[in-house]
Amino acid sequence: MEYRDGVVRRVVWEVPHTAGRALGVDAARRLARVVGSAEGLTEAGVTRVAHRISPRLADQNPQLVKIPPQWATTDIAVRRQGLQWRLDLRDNLQAVLYYAGRYEPAVSRFLRSELRPGDVVLDVGANIGLHSLGAAKQLKDLGGGRVIAFEPAEDSLDKLRAAAERNDLADLITLVPAALGERKHQAALHADPRYDPADSGVRSLQADGEVVQDVPVIRLDDWVREHSLERLDVIKLDVEGSETAALGGATRTLVRLQPRAVLVEDKRPDLRRRLHEVLDELGYRSTGSTFDHNTLFRPDRRGDTNVTRRHSLR
């Protein structure tokens, strides 16, 4: 889908560019944050801001006023979604959060409606903790709960840890510096060559860009057993194409603990069929609801007995 600005929107978005030429990058960035925050009041507006930032999508949207990468800075403080952040604007996720005021607003909306007091939430591919911290804040307001955040990238994990401490949420979040997969091993975490290497949200184990770092890959079933986890209510899984592998190492956990909601990134048509098959084998059915390219699955109680018997033998 091509995005383009009408006359009024184009005039408004040209203001930061004009200010930047006269007053410098800091002024341009501040004004763009004001304009972007207004545009980001709607979920469609957040998507437009993301398209203004993304270098990969720039050529597809020639009639859209862009937020140039020259405005990026590596460390800037901002309050967003009721939390204090220090952001690196070279990363698209962090740039969208800074300029639009939100990122993946539909996922945040889902979590706000889904979470209950005492819930245990698993955030796989937590990145800088946007949803981990949002969930922890809500659980704290509800009276308690726990968030377990898996994130293998050291720089993202450091930001998550610092943000949890800054926002007085560290006691509710367990940080696990690892990726999830079907077997335990070491793997190379790659940047996406279409983006800045600092763009943490598009790094993956399958990409062919430069190696960011070697990371441990573990099985969720092993971690759950080693840490005697006896409750799991909600899973958010977003690991840039490795979702099926992560689920392959989590079969016992899903069958035994039966989280009531599994939200999985589902934006790649080439992976969709197998992803849905794996979850179907584990007794989870798509609800047909999607949130920012993430599909919601819930347990199909009709198949509980057969699923439990099948996976108890593995």
Side-chain angles (χ1 to χ4, degrees):
M1 176 180 178
E2 180 183 345
Y3 289 86
R4 59 179 61 209
D5 287 323
V7 174
V8 174
R9 201 187 299 266
R10 176 170 291 276
V11 168
V12 171
W13 270 105
E14 287 291 353
V15 171
H17 288 264
T18 302
R21 289 189 290 270
L23 302 173
V25 170
D26 289 346
R29 189 188 305 119
R30 287 194 299 270
L31 280 170
R33 187 181 74 179
V34 173
V35 176
S37 295
E39 188 165 69
L41 291 174
T42 66
E43 292 183 9
V46 174
T47 301
R48 291 181 70 91
V49 173
H51 280 71
R52 296 184 192 282
I53 293 167
S54 172
R56 181 175 64 86
L57 300 174
D59 292 341
Q60 300 176 25
N61 301 275
Q63 302 303 314
L64 200 65
V65 178
K66 306 302 189 299
I67 297 174
Q70 292 79 11
W71 292 358
T73 183
T74 59
D75 184 33
I76 191 165
V78 67
R79 183 176 180 83
R80 288 289 187 245
Q81 298 181 308
L83 297 166
Q84 298 290 341
W85 302 90
R86 297 201 70 92
L87 302 177
D88 181 345
L89 303 189
R90 297 173 299 171
D91 175 14
N92 273 16
L93 181 157
Q94 297 178 61
V96 174
L97 180 61
Y98 176 80
Y99 288 112
R102 302 188 291 169
Y103 183 83
E104 293 191 333
V107 173
S108 297
R109 172 166 47 83
F110 165 74
L111 291 172
R112 284 195 302 272
S113 66
E114 181 70 27
L115 295 185
R116 305 169 188 171
D119 272 352
V120 176
V121 179
L122 185 67
D123 187 2
V124 185
N127 202 279
I128 65 166
L130 176 66
H131 296 305
S132 291
L133 292 172
K137 181 177 184 296
Q138 181 169 347
L139 289 172
K140 183 178 182 179
D141 293 342
L142 289 171
R146 182 185 183 189
V147 176
I148 304 168
F150 281 80
E151 175 50 54
E154 291 177 357
D155 53 357
S156 297
L157 195 69
D158 287 345
K159 278 188 172 292
L160 200 167
R161 182 181 294 108
E165 294 172 353
R166 187 182 307 117
N167 290 283
D168 196 25
L169 295 171
D171 291 345
L172 284 82
I173 301 181
T174 300
L175 303 181
V176 186
L180 290 183
E182 293 181 279
R183 60 185 179 85
K184 183 178 180 179
H185 65 288
Q186 289 290 123
L189 183 66
H190 293 264
D192 187 322
R194 299 170 297 178
Y195 294 87
D196 190 298
D199 197 328
S200 60
V202 292
R203 296 170 181 167
S204 75
L205 303 180
Q206 289 81 34
D208 55 2
E210 69 178 74
V211 175
V212 178
Q213 69 177 91
D214 287 330
V215 300
V217 181
I218 64 175
R219 300 173 71 249
L220 180 62
D221 286 343
D222 295 340
W223 190 92
V224 166
R225 183 183 66 254
E226 293 166 6
H227 292 82
S228 302
L229 188 68
E230 295 297 329
R231 176 175 179 176
L232 183 57
D233 301 286
V234 177
I235 295 176
K236 185 190 76 65
L237 175 60
D238 179 355
V239 286
E240 298 300 309
S242 294
E243 288 79 11
T244 300
L247 290 167
T251 57
R252 286 180 176 270
T253 299
L254 267 71
V255 171
R256 184 173 69 88
L257 299 182
Q258 289 207 328
R260 66 175 184 271
V262 179
L263 189 66
V264 186
E265 185 178 57
D266 186 19
K267 66 182 180 182
R268 288 183 53 177
D270 58 319
L271 302 178
R272 181 166 299 137
R273 180 175 179 178
R274 183 54 187 156
L275 175 65
H276 285 240
E277 286 176 348
V278 168
L279 283 158
D280 183 76
E281 291 169 3
L282 294 172
Y284 282 80
R285 304 290 182 267
S286 169
T287 64
S289 298
T290 59
F291 304 88
D292 297 312
H293 303 292
N294 296 271
T295 298
L296 175 62
F297 295 81
R298 293 197 187 272
D300 183 352
R301 302 301 182 187
R302 295 171 299 178
D304 281 358
T305 301
N306 291 335
V307 171
T308 301
R309 184 184 299 117
R310 184 165 65 247
H311 288 279
S312 67
L313 299 176
R314 293 187 177 182

